[in-house]
Every structure is written in structure tokens, then in C-alpha cells.
Amino acid sequence: MKPLVNQERLVSTFIDLAKIASPSWEEKGVIEYIKQKADTLGVECALYPCNNSYNVLIRIPGDKSYNPVLFSCHMDTVTPCENIQPIIKDNKIVSDGRTILGADDKSAIAAFLEAISLLQEHSLPHGHIEFLFSCAEEVGLFGAKGFDLSVVKAQYAFVFDSDGPVGNIIVAAPYHISMKIIIKGKAAHAGMEPEKGISAIRVLSEIIAAIPHGRIDSETTANVGIVKGGRATNIVAEEAECTLETRSRQKTRVLSVKREIERTAKTIAQKYKAKVKIESTMDYEGYTIRDNDPIVLIASNALRSIGIKPALAVSGGGSDTNIFNTHGIKAINLSSGMRQVHTTKEYIIIQDLVNVASLVVSIIQNVKH
Ligand SMILES: [Zn+2]
């Protein structure tokens, strides 16, 4: 396929978007930008309230000989994202080093808007297309979780929220459980009668040292991320707590690690006659898509037709892709070209940005029945 992308326009859209600060739940500026572009292009753009923000859905009706298809990315970014100054340096776009760039995930937003322009300018044939821009992804996939997917017609969702060169296709991602272990011991004067106390900190330390941690197997991990407790050195600590997570691409594994953590915590707390409270939540479910699934074949063919070799991979992280798969819309996560994300060194190679827009157009052409 001939490359159609208007690179200058695409880069300028990306730079406009990167400059709009959009920390999670504060996506208003980006929403207005997308809405205005959609109005200019004459496509339907609906806002769906989600807590204090919105998810945005663009719908473009089309030819019924194509499968309806959904493209998705998120509008929020991590911090620091105030006053982002994107700079074109050689073949890349970078920030000035004080902030992130926000290519995660504004590279995809820019590419989607470019793809819509291209469909119109070149009168390209297409089916029913939906573009979903979610809010509050970075803080827990809240936009996608809060979106009523029954308004979506598509059975396939192509999420562009992965990093590295365009061509990467994430076909599996983990289940994710968050846990909190709260230990209640007994306070006592640490100098005068320590024997009367039960140190919640000591109990918790023993638990942390005993539970599965780090890389458990090729598909499973666990990590204690936050520890709190105690009031002063002269008090035997009455309370201590830690927050942790475990992930696995196998549901049975993530559940068995959770149970092992619970069992260990209870046994150790009992040994010291401390009380233990354990909270746990399945934050999102994992997914595994077969290599020969039609959605993978569509993406792979679309990549090959623009001269890019597909590279299938598994991820240790969650994304809106997990939510779509959980709700019966088959989804894969594709690279939007972003690199070194969540750091002030974040960048995108301009050619990758162009490739994302080409890939979106190419997928649209490849979903014929
Ligand atoms: Zn992202």
C-alpha cells in the first residue's frame, strides 16, 4: 500500500496534544481537542460521563461487507505533565527533559485522527469504525471499566497502548490482584515493659520475608510496594500494614499465590497472637489470544501490507485490552511507537508515529468478511 500519511499534519496534531496537560481524571483539554477535530471532520463524537471525566467515542458508519472494528487508546498521562514542551530532535520527538512527553498514549490519539482524515481525503472504502478514547487508564483502567461496552458494535478491538517499534502485538497479559495485610499487635512501653507488647512491625516483617516475592515463575510475579507502621521508637508498634500485588497470566496461579499469602500471614500472626486482616481485589482479568486467532491475523496482515514484520509478545502489564477481553470483545494491544514511557526521557520516532497511522488505515482495509 502506498504511504498516504500527511506527516506534517500528524506531527503537528501530536505536538498539539502533547502540550495539553491531561493527568488522570483531568482529560478535559484533550476531550475538547478531539471533539473539535471530530466536528471539523464531520464525524459523530459522543461523550460518556465517567466519574468526573468522560470517555469519548467516535463512530463512523460504513460498508457492511467489512467487520465492525474498534480502535482504542487512552487520553490521560502519568505525571510530571505540566507545561510539556515537545521538541523535534533529529528523527524523534522528545520533551525538554523536565516532563514526560505523553506519547503514551497521545501518539495513538494523533494517529487515529490522522487515519480519519486519510479515509476522507482518499475516499477509502471502510466498514463501521469506532474509536474509543478512554479516561483514567493510568490509575487503574477506570475509564474502560466505567464504559458501557454494549454501545460498541465491534467484535474486535485494536488497542494502541504498547511501547517499542510499531509491529509489536501483545497477545497475552496477566491477571492482577491487589492485597493489603493489616497487622494489629499490642502497644507497650519499649523501655519499661516490652514483654507486654506485640510488635506489629516484627510480625509484618516476618510475613513479608516469608511470602512469595519477585519473579515466581515465567508467568507469575508478586511485589510488596508499600509498608507503613509504628509511631515512635519508645512504643512497641501496635499497627503495621503493607500493600502488595500479584500477577499471573494463569488465573489459577494468581489465585493460588493469593491464597498462599493469606495462609502465611495468618499462620505467622497467630504464632505471635497478633490480629491480621487481609483485603484483596482482582483489579483486572488477564487474557491470552491464540497466535492464529483472526484478530492476530488481521493485525499481522495489515502490518505486512505496510512493510512491517509483526512481532508477537506477552506483557507483564495490564491495559484497557484486559477489560475489553473480559467483556467479550476480542482485543490485542499494539505498539503506538512510544519509548521509555513514564519517564522524562520518553520519546517517539517520527517514522513510528507515521507507521501507527498507516497501520490503522491498513487494519481498516483488512477487516473485510
Ligand atoms: Zn498507556
Side-chain angles (χ1 to χ4, degrees):
M1 192 181 73
K2 230 171 76 210
L4 310 156
V5 175
N6 181 332
Q7 182 174 316
E8 200 179 318
R9 175 176 61 196
L10 173 58
V11 168
S12 126
T13 304
F14 173 74
I15 287 178
D16 286 348
L17 283 162
K19 283 180 176 168
I20 306 170
S22 62
S24 303
W25 298 120
E26 293 171 42
E27 298 89 355
K28 194 164 170 269
V30 172
I31 294 170
E32 278 167 6
Y33 187 91
I34 296 170
K35 177 89 180 106
Q36 201 213 320
K37 282 271 178 185
D39 289 348
T40 311
L41 292 162
V43 292
E44 186 202 326
C45 179
L47 270 50
Y48 292 85
C50 181
N51 289 342
N52 292 328
S53 189
Y54 296 90
N55 290 304
V56 179
L57 184 68
I58 290 180
R59 279 192 197 89
I60 304 174
D63 188 334
K64 288 200 168 59
S65 64
Y66 290 80
N67 283 310
V69 64
L70 173 74
F71 294 92
S72 177
C73 65
H74 63 89
M75 299 182 288
D76 60 320
T77 71
V78 295
T79 58
C81 62
E82 280 309 314
N83 208 358
I84 295 176
Q85 300 296 331
I87 299 163
I88 298 177
K89 209 171 160 186
D90 307 323
N91 59 344
K92 293 175 190 164
I93 309 171
V94 298
S95 78
D96 64 5
R98 292 176 309 107
T99 64
I100 56 151
L101 175 63
D104 177 7
D105 200 12
K106 286 167 178 166
S107 52
I109 305 178
F112 292 178
L113 295 173
E114 175 64 20
I116 299 170
S117 297
L118 293 173
L119 292 181
Q120 296 187 342
E121 280 167 10
H122 301 274
S123 308
L124 299 172
H126 60 81
H128 178 88
I129 314 167
E130 297 161 327
F131 292 94
L132 176 64
F133 305 89
S134 67
C135 61
E137 189 271 348
E138 296 285 5
V139 285
L141 319 179
F142 291 113
K145 282 181 185 172
F147 185 69
D148 175 10
L149 282 165
S150 69
V151 306
V152 162
K153 257 194 186 179
Q155 286 159 8
Y156 295 129
F158 298 89
V159 180
F160 282 77
D161 190 17
S162 183
D163 61 354
V166 176
N168 287 356
I169 304 176
I170 304 295
V171 290
Y175 292 77
H176 182 287
I177 292 177
S178 298
M179 299 180 77
K180 191 182 246 187
I181 303 172
I182 304 155
I183 303 295
K184 185 120 194 259
K186 200 172 152 203
H189 192 293
M192 294 197 275
E193 42 184 17
E195 48 284 292
K196 289 197 174 159
I198 301 168
S199 170
I201 291 178
R202 291 284 285 186
V203 176
L204 184 64
S205 308
E206 196 167 318
I207 292 168
I208 292 172
I211 58 178
H213 203 256
R215 161 124 354 248
I216 299 167
D217 61 45
S218 64
E219 300 183 303
T220 315
T221 58
N223 182 58
V224 176
I226 305 167
V227 177
K228 289 184 202 162
R231 289 173 190 277
T233 60
N234 60 357
I235 307 170
V236 174
E238 188 171 18
E239 279 181 326
E241 61 175 60
C242 71
T243 310
L244 62 151
E245 61 156 50
T246 175
R247 306 180 187 214
S248 179
R249 290 198 296 279
Q250 301 299 330
K251 192 172 191 174
T252 49
R253 279 297 286 142
V254 80
L255 292 173
S256 79
V257 170
K258 169 184 163 281
R259 282 194 301 270
E260 190 181 337
I261 292 170
E262 288 168 343
R263 246 193 334 265
T264 308
K266 281 179 191 159
T267 309
I268 293 172
Q270 217 165 40
K271 189 168 95 184
Y272 292 98
K273 297 190 171 60
K275 290 199 178 86
V276 60
K277 194 174 147 204
I278 304 166
E279 296 165 2
S280 64
T281 330
M282 175 80 83
D283 293 314
Y284 50 82
E285 307 239 341
Y287 65 89
T288 302
I289 310 277
R290 282 179 296 107
D291 289 3
N292 61 352
D293 192 281
I295 192 170
V296 178
L297 300 180
I298 292 167
S300 302
N301 290 338
L303 278 161
R304 282 192 202 97
S305 69
I306 58 166
I308 298 172
K309 204 172 155 234
L312 272 49
V314 297
S315 171
S319 69
D320 289 349
T321 322
N322 294 59
I323 307 301
F324 299 145
N325 278 306
T326 306
H327 291 91
I329 298 175
K330 194 157 274 186
I332 50 175
N333 192 3
L334 300 147
S335 171
S336 71
M338 54 190 173
R339 316 259 183 153
Q340 296 202 30
V341 297
H342 297 198
T343 77
T344 54
K345 293 195 175 72
E346 185 185 7
Y347 69 95
I348 186 160
I349 297 168
I350 292 171
Q351 187 58 51
D352 271 328
L353 187 57
V354 170
N355 288 347
V356 180
S358 302
L359 177 56
V360 172
V361 174
S362 181
I363 290 173
I364 291 169
Q365 309 300 296
N366 270 281
V367 288
K368 222 166 165 81
H369 285 305

